[in-house]
């Protein structure tokens, strides 16, 4: 079975087929969720269960991340550099449904590269509950090696921090 056929069967209506969208001029960062409507994963949940649905979505999102990275390399030095990572922001869905939804986080240009460098530099050794959760999904998917996990917390509504966990790919040979 072709991968594209499998993806269209398991996630009907979701298509990350416009890689060029990652190379458009934007003012800041963007996050592209692998699933835009939760109802689209109902069949996937029924077939795989929450744990393996999360692992499958993570694998699919990682494939997209790799494809964008390769497309950037193919474009050569003409395109802007960018910070690319997988990001996770919806921890309430995991608490309710047991599913963790990944997104591709991208931030083009020098500002994005600086953000990535700062995140990697400032990553602490303390593992929050959110990072531990994301790491467990990576472990289920067999993808723990090769990523560094960092988080960003910003003030949200009273008593609610906005938490974003980044899974940053670390180049081969680098220390994770």
């Amino acid at each position: 079975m072709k991968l594209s056929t499998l993806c269209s069967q398991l996630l009907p209506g979701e298509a990350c087929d416009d890689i060029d969208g990652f190379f458009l001029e934007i003012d800041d960062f963007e996050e592209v969720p692998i699933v835009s409507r939760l109802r689209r994963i109902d069949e996937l949940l029924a077939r795989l269960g929450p744990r393996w649905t999360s692992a499958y979505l993570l694998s699919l999102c990682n494939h997209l991340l790799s494809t964008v990275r390769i497309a950037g390399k193919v474009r050569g030095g003409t395109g802007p550099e960018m910070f690319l990572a997988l990001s996770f922001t919806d921890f309430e869905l995991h608490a309710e449904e047991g599913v963790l939804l990944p997104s591709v986080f991208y931030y083009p240009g020098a500002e994005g590269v600086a953000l990535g460098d700062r995140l990697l530099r400032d990553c602490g050794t303390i593992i929050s509950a959110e990072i531990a959760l994301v790491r467990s999904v990576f472990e289920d998917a067999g993808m723990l090696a090769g990523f560094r996990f960092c988080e960003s917390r910003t003030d949200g509504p009273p008593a609610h921090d906005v938490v974003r966990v980044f899974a940053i790919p670390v180049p081969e040979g680098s220390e994770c």
Side-chain angles (χ1 to χ4, degrees):
M1 178 182 285
K2 291 184 176 183
L3 180 60
S4 59
T5 303
L6 178 64
C7 291
S8 65
Q9 285 178 350
L10 293 176
L11 288 172
E14 296 294 345
C16 293
D17 59 354
D18 187 10
I19 298 301
D20 290 335
F22 287 92
F23 299 99
L24 298 174
E25 291 289 325
I26 59 172
D27 292 335
D28 208 350
F29 67 86
E30 291 286 338
E31 282 178 290
V32 178
I34 198 70
V35 176
S36 63
R37 304 251 188 297
L38 293 180
R39 64 177 167 71
R40 292 190 176 155
I41 64 169
D42 288 345
E43 184 178 332
L44 191 59
L45 274 167
R47 291 172 92 174
L48 301 177
R51 177 181 180 189
W52 298 114
T53 294
S54 295
Y56 172 77
L57 293 174
L58 174 61
S59 297
L60 191 58
C61 205
N62 189 50
H63 176 71
L64 177 60
L65 179 87
S66 296
T67 302
V68 170
R69 187 178 314 114
I70 291 167
K73 297 289 184 193
V74 168
R75 290 171 183 263
T78 60
E81 295 208 14
M82 71 174 69
F83 170 58
L84 278 169
L86 300 180
S87 63
F88 302 84
T89 57
D90 192 348
F91 300 101
E92 290 177 13
L93 179 65
H94 185 270
E96 295 168 4
E97 301 289 332
V99 176
L100 192 60
L101 293 178
S103 296
V104 174
F105 181 97
Y106 69 102
Y107 193 161
E111 296 87 3
V113 173
L115 172 65
D117 291 344
R118 182 176 51 81
L119 284 169
L120 284 170
R121 184 182 62 248
D122 295 345
C123 278
T125 56
I126 299 172
I127 297 178
S128 68
E130 293 86 0
I131 288 178
L133 175 62
V134 170
R135 287 177 60 96
S136 73
V137 173
F138 273 77
E139 189 171 22
D140 284 346
M143 297 171 46
L144 193 56
F147 284 89
R148 185 130 180 234
F149 301 91
C150 306
E151 72 179 13
S152 170
R153 290 181 180 266
T154 56
D155 293 334
H160 294 286
D161 284 344
V162 176
V163 179
R164 177 176 282 110
V165 172
F166 294 97
I168 305 169
V170 179
E172 193 171 323
S174 297
E175 187 178 315
C176 288

